[in-house]
Amino acid sequence: MQNIIEQIKKLEATSETLEIPLSQREYLQGKTNAFTNEYIDALPALKSFLDKKANESIIKITDKQKSIEEVLKIFKDEVLDTGIRAASGGHIGYIPGGGIFASAIGDYLAAVSNEYAGVSYASPGAVAIENEAINWLKKIFSFPETAIGNLTSGGSIANLIALTAARDKFQIKNNKIPFSVIYMSEQVHHCIHKSLRIIGLEDVQIRYVKLDEHYRINPEQLKEQILADKANGLNPFLVIASAGTTDVGAIDPLDDIAAIAAKENLWFHVDAAYGGFFILTSKKNWFKGIEKADSLVVDPHKGMFLPYGLGAVLIKDAKAVLHSNHYAANYMQDALSDDLVNDPANVSPELTKHFRGMRIWLPLQLHGIEPFKACLEEKLLLTKYARKRLIDMGFQVGPEPDLSVSYFWHPFVGDANAFNRKLMQNIHEDGTVFLSSTLIKDQFVIRIAILSFRTKLATIDSMLSMIQACLEKTKKEFAL
Ligand SMILES: Cc1ncc(COP(=O)(O)O)c(C=O)c1O
């Protein structure tokens, strides 16, 4: 026994260094706070994209201890100063992230307290906050109180949970798979396809419904296709609409699709990961019908400007969700509760999870909702402004966007794709503002996705100056 005690005491000398004493904690906090504050203030003047890779030998984990100063330097050089500066207002590519500071405080509190947000028994307060965030979302999207929800790591996992519920509701398994049909737009986010593969539905029949000139699903075509498939003995069970597509920000006609899904007895899923929160703006009417969805995905780490790591799913049929996600294990017996849907672990593949509720709950407590609404409305106007200015500069633009993603291209006479690809390269090399590209009907176009809370009028003006300079450069390279 004495031997064991001596061994424990010996180990304690080293293991207790993980519990950092107050004075050292204050030192680390001071250094980290100074670093992050300096970074936030410097953001407007920094490039938004640096085409530089991280040095893997510098970030290597070794046995050698480093000081916080050394670590922060590595973080700056190898992380902050490589690739897309996601916290910058100049991130206007893909779907921009945000990174509001209040959310970081929420994450910090969640991490320091390490509250267990998987089951209510472990942390009734943490789970209540998670569920309050879900309830708040239900109100925004006019979902019934009886709907269930989950805060996920992002839109991909949120879609995965929703599509799994649709699969289980209709029991799409075994020999039912090959003749079951899912309807969607070609513009759905690729995470939908990933989810279908993961949940064993790779071999279902997928119908890409014809789109109108704004890249929205044509409901008449949808109806005709479902009826034709039924007449051919197939099993239509799911229609997926988008409220804000990734490429062009299109909102499918939700109300019409909802009516068709209800009449034909299909699960109606809406992926509003990017566009959902625009329901809080003057665009509200465009979302009519979203409340009729069987399942809905929204991403607060997009439309609520939170740092990456928060998506959400709402689903009306709790039974379908519990079917795949609820499991009772012996070692969990103390945590059992009759209120199954109250525990996040029962409605998601995760058991232990980051207490993500804090990253949305805390900002809403500190700011209220108004600044978020204003910010979203501002993004819509900035999109209009950017498009008008680009037209004046001689660019072609895509159709009037439904939300804040749009695209443009230079009408180069000759190989327009090659010209615009070169223009994109020059924009990336410049890096003042980061834009991304896509293909629309095989045409190379440059996307403008305005969603960062830090993207302001001045950012758009600086983007336009950068585009102009890059255009001149590209013209020279093409000897124009
Ligand atoms: C419409 C849409 N759905 C889903 C996703 C996937 O979300 P996440 O990247 O958070 O997993 C995205 C990402 O951009 C998206 O735009």
Side-chain angles (χ1 to χ4, degrees), residues 249-457:
I251 305 180
D252 289 323
L254 304 176
D255 212 30
D256 294 343
I257 298 173
I260 296 167
K263 184 153 186 292
E264 302 302 330
N265 189 30
L266 268 66
W267 182 288
F268 174 36
H269 173 65
V270 178
D271 178 3
Y274 150 61
F277 287 103
F278 283 100
I279 199 172
L280 297 169
T281 69
S282 53
K283 289 275 177 179
K284 187 174 178 12
N285 288 343
W286 287 68
F287 292 85
K288 192 165 177 295
I290 203 165
E291 71 288 352
K292 295 176 187 158
D294 292 290
S295 52
L296 169 67
V297 164
V298 285
D299 262 0
H301 69 191
K302 296 185 173 73
M304 289 284 290
F305 320 112
L306 306 191
Y308 295 131
L310 196 73
V313 60
L314 300 178
I315 302 177
K316 288 182 183 155
D317 188 327
K319 205 169 142 219
V321 184
L322 290 171
H323 177 82
S324 331
N325 296 296
H326 168 58
Y327 198 86
N330 291 347
Y331 43 79
M332 295 291 289
Q333 64 183 4
D334 303 332
L336 283 181
S337 145
D338 291 336
D339 191 3
L340 290 181
V341 295
N342 186 50
D343 284 345
N346 289 335
V347 295
S348 128
E350 292 181 295
L351 175 57
T352 304
K353 57 180 268 188
H354 176 63
F355 174 19
R356 323 188 158 100
M358 283 298 282
R359 53 197 352 258
I360 184 166
W361 181 84
L362 192 134
L364 284 169
Q365 300 292 335
L366 292 184
H367 293 298
I369 188 64
E370 287 312 317
F372 292 94
K373 289 186 183 172
C375 220
L376 287 162
E377 199 74 54
E378 179 189 34
K379 304 309 153 213
L380 294 171
L381 289 174
L382 288 175
T383 306
K384 274 193 187 334
Y385 173 78
R387 274 169 51 88
K388 280 204 167 72
R389 293 277 316 270
L390 282 164
I391 294 169
D392 292 346
M393 286 160 66
F395 286 101
Q396 300 277 320
V397 294
E400 180 80 28
D402 295 345
L403 295 171
S404 69
V405 175
S406 58
Y407 61 90
F408 69 96
W409 71 97
H410 188 271
F412 178 75
V413 183
D415 190 346
N417 277 2
F419 184 91
N420 284 288
R421 197 172 280 119
K422 186 74 204 163
L423 175 60
M424 180 85 270
Q425 261 174 23
N426 286 333
I427 289 172
H428 285 164
E429 244 168 57
D430 180 295
T432 306
V433 157
F434 178 75
L435 304 177
S436 62
S437 68
T438 189
L439 291 175
I440 301 285
K441 295 184 186 142
D442 293 331
Q443 184 183 356
F444 187 98
V445 298
I446 301 177
R447 286 172 72 254
I448 312 180
I450 302 181
L451 196 63
S452 164
F453 74 106
R454 291 193 172 110
T455 304
K456 300 282 162 201
L457 191 56

Side-chain angles (χ1 to χ4, degrees), residues 79-106:
V79 181
L80 298 183
D81 290 349
T82 58
I84 302 170
R85 200 177 295 287
S88 163
H91 180 8
I92 306 182
Y94 302 113
I95 298 293
I100 54 171
F101 188 70
S103 227
I105 303 286

Side-chain angles (χ1 to χ4, degrees), residues 160-185:
L160 180 83
I161 294 174
L163 299 184
T164 307
R167 177 198 69 183
D168 292 350
K169 160 94 177 171
F170 286 84
Q171 298 186 10
I172 309 298
K173 53 185 173 181
N174 304 331
N175 53 7
K176 226 174 169 184
I177 294 175
F179 67 93
S180 293
V181 194
I182 303 178
Y183 303 82
M184 63 180 81
S185 145

Side-chain angles (χ1 to χ4, degrees), residues 25-36:
R25 283 203 302 275
E26 284 175 343
Y27 183 77
L28 294 177
Q29 284 165 332
K31 288 287 167 192
T32 313
N33 281 343
F35 179 88
T36 47

Side-chain angles (χ1 to χ4, degrees), residues 95 154-157 159 189 191 244-246 271 273-274 299 301-302:
I95 298 293
S156 299
I157 302 300
N159 274 301
H189 191 268
C191 73
T245 55
T246 315
D271 178 3
Y274 150 61
D299 262 0
H301 69 191
K302 296 185 173 73

